[in-house]
Amino acid sequence: LATPSSSATPAACVGVDAVGLLDYLAQFCYQASADGAKWQPDCVWPELELCVVGKEETRGHTKYVVQGMLRPASSPALAWKVRRRLTSLRNGLHDPV
C-alpha cells in the first residue's frame, strides 16, 4: 500500500468520493466532518447475546452448547445454537477480546 501524502483527502485515500464515504460511515453510526469526527448520540447499536445453555459429553470431550442472538437495529433478529469445546471458545472468543 502506498502512503498518502499529507495533502490527500480521506476520500482520495480510499478511492471513493467524499459523499460516498460519508454515506458509508453513516451506516455504522459514525458521522465524519471536515474538522474531525464524532459519534452520533442517537444511534441504535446492534445487540449481541451469547449464553451457555448446557454441555454434552461426546467421545470423552465436553462440548458446551452456546446459544447466540444478534439483534440488528433495522433487521430481524438472527438466532443460532452451536456446540464448542472450551479450547475453541477460549481461542476464538475470550483471548481476542
Side-chain angles (χ1 to χ4, degrees):
L1 289 173
T3 305
S5 67
S6 59
S7 63
T9 64
C13 294
V14 295
V16 297
D17 66 290
V19 174
L21 179 60
L22 295 178
D23 290 344
Y24 176 77
L25 291 173
Q27 296 176 63
F28 303 102
C29 302
Y30 198 71
Q31 181 179 348
S33 61
D35 61 348
K38 63 180 183 176
W39 292 106
Q40 294 177 345
D42 60 345
C43 183
V44 178
W45 291 93
E47 201 174 302
L48 175 65
E49 180 179 313
L50 297 172
C51 296
V52 177
V53 295
K55 65 179 184 173
E56 301 172 354
E57 296 293 326
T58 307
R59 291 184 242 150
H61 297 284
T62 302
K63 289 192 176 182
Y64 295 89
V65 181
V66 180
Q67 187 171 322
M69 183 172 290
L70 179 64
R71 292 182 192 93
S74 60
S75 304
L78 306 169
W80 66 92
K81 189 184 289 188
V82 296
R83 288 157 182 75
R84 296 289 186 262
R85 292 182 59 190
L86 184 58
T87 302
S88 176
L89 293 172
R90 186 181 302 121
N91 293 337
L93 182 63
H94 176 270
D95 292 350
V97 174

